[in-house]
Amino acid sequence: MDTEFPKTAVEYIHSLGRFSGRPGLHRIRALCKALGDPQDRLRFVHLAGTNGKGSTATMIASALQAAGLRTGLYTSPYLVQFYERIRIDGSMISSDDLAHFSERVAVACESLTLPEGETIGEFEFTTAVAFLYFVEQGCDIVVLETGLGGRCDATNVIRSPEVCVITPISLDHMAVLGDTVAEIAGEKAGIIKPGADVVCANGQEEDALAVLRHVTASQGAVWHESADTLRVLRCDLNGSAFVCDGQGYTIAMPGRHQLQNASTALRTLDALRLRGWDIPIEAAVRGLARARIAGRLERVVDAPLVLLDGAHNAAGIDALCGAVHDLLKMRRLHVVMGMVCDKEYEYCVRRMARQADAFYACTTNAAERSLGEQTIAALAEQECSEVYDCRSTEHALELAFDHASPKDCILVCGSLFLTGGAEKILRGRPNTTD
């Protein structure tokens, strides 16, 4: 790369910062135009929602790949390494390709005239890189996850997608998206465009559902009625088996909330079929069975059982606690938890601490956004009698392993920053699960 870049493309992208000016699509539109509007040469499944986007997107992409389609997948944030965010047929973008396309986007950035005080931010830059990469790699279809919200999210620069998918909506990022579920739903519904099909996850709050239906009608999009037709055969730490419309399926990701995501993915595939896409039922069966995403009740050590989960908001923690109750009720539970300060941390910590037999409070590696371990420990002590105030993820894990018997479970949760750091540490252990 040019000498003006830091050592790597990833370092350069991170140097651009999270926020780059007033909310809006004007910056990403200008950048994409300077690049020849690569997004206009792609076809998309576009996802927005509060929870479940990454898992649902991964299931959809896996099924499309199994159907023989060259499938791009764009997700955020990443867990361990940046390259996870941009994939084709399950393979991450290479460092060389990231460097090559980052150079092209950086050159385009230099040609832009933006409002005073505004720049191209990290997410906008990465989105443009992904569009270029997917076009030049000849993707048939791209499964595209929003980063934040929907209406003003950089991914929303695309024209009308094949299907708009709305996963469960709840309170999160209130400072940016609004204080009520209805307001947040309005922002998420910003991805709904004329002519698109709209698939909404089952179980939405009525206030959110009313907004989504109204926007779909006003945009002239096609609403697909939901129907809870799943019959669960098995739900354990190895995943779930279920029947939908007479067909048997399995998923590897544990927890009943993943059954909801699987239902949304299957309904999305149905919507694509109605639009003429050839997606055999057998491809859906294989795709869902193969779908994996890190940090979703991910099993990384067997004895004691160590699970990593990226739940970091109230609804995510509720789903995680439900899974813990269903799957781990016979095990002593050691919770390692850290959070960032711009989340509903008081509710999340206390809710998780009520499930814990022992609780280990630590900080994340989110710099100024990290919530102090002393604050977390003080909240946990209101609900759990055995709480440890730990300096770091390493310290918390070391202490949890010292205290846990082989039949216990250590659960790491509260932030993707924390689970990503824990993943790196735990992958070096000799008894780590492949």
Side-chain angles (χ1 to χ4, degrees):
M1 301 184 74
D2 295 342
T3 54
E4 68 210 52
F5 278 71
K7 188 184 301 182
T8 68
V10 173
E11 288 173 335
Y12 175 77
I13 291 169
H14 286 329
S15 75
L16 298 174
R18 293 179 68 217
F19 300 106
S20 51
R22 64 184 174 87
L25 300 177
H26 54 289
R27 289 180 300 274
I28 187 66
R29 282 178 177 148
L31 178 55
C32 286
K33 183 177 180 181
L35 293 166
D37 284 319
Q39 77 282 2
D40 290 347
R41 289 175 275 162
L42 294 164
R43 298 166 81 180
F44 295 96
V45 173
H46 199 188
L47 295 93
T50 306
N51 291 305
K53 295 192 300 295
S55 296
T56 306
T58 300
M59 291 179 190
I60 295 168
S62 184
L64 294 174
Q65 179 187 345
L69 297 165
R70 188 159 175 78
T71 305
L73 175 62
Y74 182 62
T75 58
S76 63
Y78 63 92
L79 190 72
V80 176
Q81 51 183 326
F82 183 90
Y83 308 99
E84 297 168 23
R85 295 178 60 175
I86 304 172
R87 299 174 185 256
I88 295 177
D89 289 345
S91 297
M92 294 183 287
I93 189 172
S94 69
S95 58
D96 287 345
D97 279 335
L98 183 66
H100 169 70
F101 290 105
S102 292
E103 277 196 272
R104 289 177 56 181
V105 174
V107 169
C109 288
E110 292 173 358
S111 71
L112 303 180
T113 302
L114 298 176
E116 185 176 353
E118 295 194 13
T119 59
I120 296 296
E122 175 177 344
F123 189 74
E124 292 161 329
F125 189 99
T126 307
T127 301
V129 167
F131 289 153
L132 278 179
Y133 179 62
F134 292 144
V135 164
E136 299 213 2
Q137 291 292 315
C139 286
D140 298 308
I141 191 165
V142 173
V143 182
L144 187 70
E145 178 190 341
T146 55
L148 175 62
R151 181 176 62 89
C152 294
D153 188 81
T155 62
N156 206 30
V157 72
I158 67 171
R159 293 177 179 173
S160 189
E162 298 290 296
V163 186
C164 301
V165 181
I166 308 295
T167 65
I169 295 172
S170 59
L171 296 177
D172 199 9
H173 299 292
M174 283 89 81
V176 179
L177 301 180
D179 295 326
T180 68
V181 167
E183 287 179 302
I184 294 171
E187 290 294 318
K188 308 287 187 184
I191 71 167
I192 298 172
K193 296 183 176 69
D197 286 66
V198 179
V199 170
C200 179
N202 295 327
Q204 295 281 8
E205 291 190 27
E206 285 300 320
D207 287 351
L209 201 56
V211 171
L212 296 170
R213 284 180 172 275
H214 172 75
V215 173
T216 298
S218 65
Q219 288 284 9
V222 180
W223 179 268
H224 287 255
E225 286 293 339
S226 64
D228 191 3
T229 59
L230 265 63
R231 179 164 58 88
V232 181
L233 305 177
R234 170 180 61 82
C235 185
D236 57 31
L237 280 170
N238 295 314
S240 298
F242 63 94
V243 175
C244 181
D245 294 331
Q247 175 63 54
Y249 297 89
T250 60
I251 53 174
M253 293 181 277
R256 290 192 174 270
H257 56 290
Q258 294 295 358
L259 289 164
Q260 180 185 43
N261 295 332
S263 173
T264 306
L266 289 173
R267 291 172 52 227
T268 301
L269 298 176
D270 285 341
L272 287 167
R273 291 187 187 103
L274 290 173
R275 296 180 72 97
W277 291 86
D278 182 14
I279 308 166
I281 295 296
E282 296 77 12
V285 172
R286 291 197 309 273
L288 261 64
R290 295 172 181 171
R292 303 285 193 283
I293 185 169
R296 275 67 169 182
L297 276 176
E298 180 188 9
R299 186 175 188 155
V300 291
V301 178
D302 285 325
L305 175 66
V306 180
L307 301 174
L308 306 182
D309 195 273
H312 57 272
N313 55 38
I317 290 293
D318 283 342
L320 176 58
C321 287
V324 166
H325 178 267
D326 290 342
L327 305 176
L328 302 172
K329 56 181 114 182
M330 300 304 292
R331 295 176 186 258
R332 179 172 166 83
L333 183 65
H334 303 257
V335 173
V336 174
M337 191 169 190
M339 293 199 69
V340 294
C341 58
D342 52 5
K343 300 292 180 181
E344 293 180 289
Y345 60 82
E346 181 172 351
Y347 175 87
C348 293
V349 171
R350 293 185 62 176
R351 178 82 168 88
M352 206 68 241
R354 283 199 294 274
Q355 299 284 325
D357 295 292
F359 190 102
Y360 306 81
C362 59
T363 57
T364 71
N365 61 349
E368 71 279 357
R369 295 178 64 206
S370 292
L371 186 65
E373 71 273 13
Q374 294 177 336
T375 300
I376 295 173
L379 289 168
E381 285 170 352
Q382 298 176 37
E383 308 290 345
C384 179
S385 61
E386 187 178 339
V387 176
Y388 301 92
D389 182 345
C390 304
R391 297 180 303 277
S392 63
T393 307
E394 291 90 342
H395 181 209
L397 286 171
E398 181 182 346
L399 205 56
F401 273 106
D402 284 347
H403 294 166
S405 77
K407 294 184 179 180
D408 290 354
C409 176
I410 299 172
L411 173 63
V412 182
C413 63
S415 167
L416 286 169
F417 293 105
L418 176 68
T419 50
E423 172 111 5
K424 291 177 183 177
I425 296 166
L426 293 167
R427 285 299 176 192
R429 293 183 63 88
N431 62 341
T432 297
T433 301
D434 291 330

